Amino acid sequence: MQTLPITKSQALEKWTKELQNEHLRLSDPEAFLSIADWHLSEMEKLNLFDPLELYEMREQAHAAYSAGLEEQFAYEQYCQASAYNVVPDGENTRIATISHGVFSFTDASGMRSMLPAYHGRVMVTEGRVHLVMSQPNYCVPISGLRFVTGDGIPCQLVETARMSNGKWLTGVQDPDAYRALVDLAQEAFEQKDWVRYRMLRDRARYSPFTCCPTCHDSFVQREDCDGCGGLGFIPDNLGEPVCAGDCRNIEGCTTLPTP
């Protein structure tokens, strides 16, 4: 049976739906832009749009991508390409890890459990995120980077690494290196050098530090800040051990094993 040719209105409807994929735009801006560019190349082959229309559509995609980079910190979203530590509220130790959507419990020592590696999976459907557990059997929604287990334990997902171009992006442990990453990332953002910005910002993001809640890393206030001692940031426990999964499998990870 011959497929009917797509109309211009149908192509525009599909394009609009792609731009409205807020979960992908905020969780993985690079994937959002890559998919948008691919759809534009496919739409160009249809010969339904003039060059100016295609240019404006490409500008729309890049504007959404740039905004996504800036908004990520305010609207944390689960990303399938990332590794996470699952940390109960008020505790400092992970109880499980999530890597590429696979949920695995850890044992009391913090090392990988001797139980089967697969205990559940994170499913993303039309922007809605759910954790589907196999043992015990339950399904709960993930809102941002938070969820409540089947037995009522509130947990947070702490992102510790992300796969990009076939390599794991990880953080740094040295405070001076972290300060340099933050400053260089800000410089790249102001210059709209998005590729460099994302690389630097993600390495800072996966480091065991967080912005000082007292001075908020303000250049004017941090020098005399008692909260961070002038650094602009404070240590942030990512759920020991710092790197998710088996650190030996993550390129660039220098975290020492937990005693």
Side-chain angles (χ1 to χ4, degrees):
M1 182 169 138
Q2 187 175 6
T3 304
L4 294 175
I6 189 172
T7 65
K8 185 173 183 177
S9 60
Q10 289 173 328
L12 282 173
E13 182 180 356
K14 187 175 181 180
W15 170 250
T16 300
K17 187 176 181 179
E18 290 294 334
L19 287 183
Q20 292 175 345
N21 189 342
E22 288 294 279
H23 181 271
L24 183 62
R25 185 179 73 88
L26 294 174
S27 67
D28 197 341
E30 273 72 26
F32 172 86
L33 183 61
S34 178
I35 291 173
D37 284 339
W38 179 81
H39 276 287
L40 278 174
S41 65
E42 291 298 302
M43 291 169 69
E44 189 173 5
K45 297 174 184 177
L46 299 174
N47 294 319
L48 296 174
F49 301 91
D50 62 45
L52 180 58
E53 289 175 313
L54 290 168
Y55 172 80
E56 291 176 345
M57 293 162 75
R58 186 165 283 105
E59 287 295 296
Q60 283 181 318
H62 281 260
Y65 164 74
S66 300
L69 288 174
E70 186 174 5
E71 295 169 24
Q72 269 193 313
F73 286 118
Y75 303 98
E76 295 280 8
Q77 297 287 332
Y78 170 79
C79 177
Q80 288 280 48
S82 294
Y84 296 90
N85 285 340
V86 180
V87 182
D89 286 359
E91 298 186 18
N92 295 325
T93 305
R94 71 183 187 183
I95 61 170
T97 62
I98 298 175
S99 182
H100 292 307
V102 176
F103 181 101
S104 300
F105 283 115
T106 53
D107 63 23
S109 69
M111 302 303 289
R112 281 208 177 273
S113 173
M114 295 303 293
L115 296 171
Y118 174 87
H119 299 117
R121 181 171 289 278
V122 179
M123 309 295 292
V124 181
T125 306
E126 295 184 352
R128 294 188 294 272
V129 186
H130 288 83
L131 172 60
V132 182
M133 296 295 298
S134 56
Q135 295 178 352
N137 187 15
Y138 63 82
C139 175
V140 295
I142 295 178
S143 178
L145 293 178
R146 301 187 63 82
F147 73 97
V148 179
T149 65
D151 50 359
I153 301 175
C155 295
Q156 59 178 319
L157 303 183
V158 181
E159 192 171 8
T160 55
R162 180 174 295 202
M163 181 67 75
S164 178
N165 296 323
K167 294 183 178 180
W168 283 105
L169 293 179
T170 59
V172 298
Q173 311 299 310
D174 180 71
D176 291 336
Y178 179 76
R179 177 75 263 168
L181 282 175
V182 172
D183 292 342
L184 289 171
Q186 180 62 32
E187 178 184 283
F189 181 82
E190 292 171 355
Q191 296 174 353
K192 297 185 178 181
D193 185 349
W194 302 126
V195 174
R196 182 165 170 262
Y197 168 72
R198 178 58 185 271
M199 179 185 69
L200 294 167
R201 192 218 58 179
D202 278 353
R203 292 210 67 193
R205 181 187 181 94
Y206 311 139
S207 302
F209 305 101
T210 189
C211 183
C212 176
T214 303
C215 69
H216 303 287
D217 197 20
S218 166
F219 182 78
V220 176
Q221 300 178 34
R222 74 186 184 213
E223 183 175 351
D224 300 319
C225 179
D226 294 329
C228 63
L231 294 174
F233 56 88
I234 59 175
D236 182 25
N237 193 305
L238 302 181
E240 296 296 339
V242 172
C243 289
D246 186 341
C247 289
R248 292 171 298 179
N249 293 330
I250 299 181
E251 181 176 340
C253 178
T254 58
T255 304
L256 296 175
T258 301

